[in-house]
Amino acid sequence: MSALLDKIIDSEEYFYNLKTKKIVCWGAGSKGRQTLELLREKGIEPIAFCDNNKDLQGKSMKGIPILNYDTIKNECSDYCICITCTYSNAMGIYNELKNSGGGIE
């Protein structure tokens, strides 16, 4: 996977730039867990997970709180959302974020 990332982007520069941002991982499922592991390997600690699943909201995953998007918008500032799901679900989440006034362009 790392070799593929290196072909697409300069992964060292990408992760270096992420270290300067507050990261919110959208999706607290298996892809979210995988993303958290990768981010922590790179020295990046997300501030929260965001998930539409009400059964997960208010809980935590590996020490990171799982919140709903309204809480993220109201309580966090200057954050970057990392969509952590399968590709087939990503556009739906992107559109939801764009339509919610979350600053997505």
Side-chain angles (χ1 to χ4, degrees):
M1 178 72 165
S2 180
L4 176 61
L5 277 177
D6 289 339
K7 290 179 183 178
I8 298 170
I9 59 172
D10 179 344
S11 63
E12 289 304 315
E13 180 180 353
Y14 176 78
F15 287 110
Y16 176 80
N17 289 333
L18 279 183
K19 287 181 183 182
T20 66
K21 302 183 184 314
K22 297 178 198 169
I23 304 297
V24 173
C25 294
W26 186 291
S30 62
K31 298 298 182 203
R33 285 188 294 277
Q34 291 169 352
T35 301
L36 177 59
E37 185 177 310
L38 174 64
L39 291 173
R40 283 182 168 171
E41 284 175 11
K42 300 294 184 178
I44 301 166
E45 188 72 7
I47 61 169
F49 280 95
C50 184
D51 204 289
N52 288 335
N53 183 338
K54 293 185 187 310
D55 292 334
L56 296 176
Q57 296 169 3
K59 296 180 180 177
S60 66
M61 181 178 7
K62 299 191 177 200
I64 308 292
I66 303 170
L67 308 171
N68 64 45
Y69 189 52
D70 285 337
T71 301
I72 298 291
K73 287 192 308 185
N74 294 329
E75 296 182 11
C76 301
S77 63
D78 195 29
Y79 55 88
C80 175
I81 293 179
C82 178
I83 298 175
T84 61
C85 67
T86 60
Y87 179 77
S88 61
N89 293 327
M91 284 309 295
I93 293 169
Y94 171 82
N95 288 328
E96 180 180 344
L97 290 168
K98 187 174 180 179
N99 294 330
S100 72
I104 305 294
E105 298 177 9

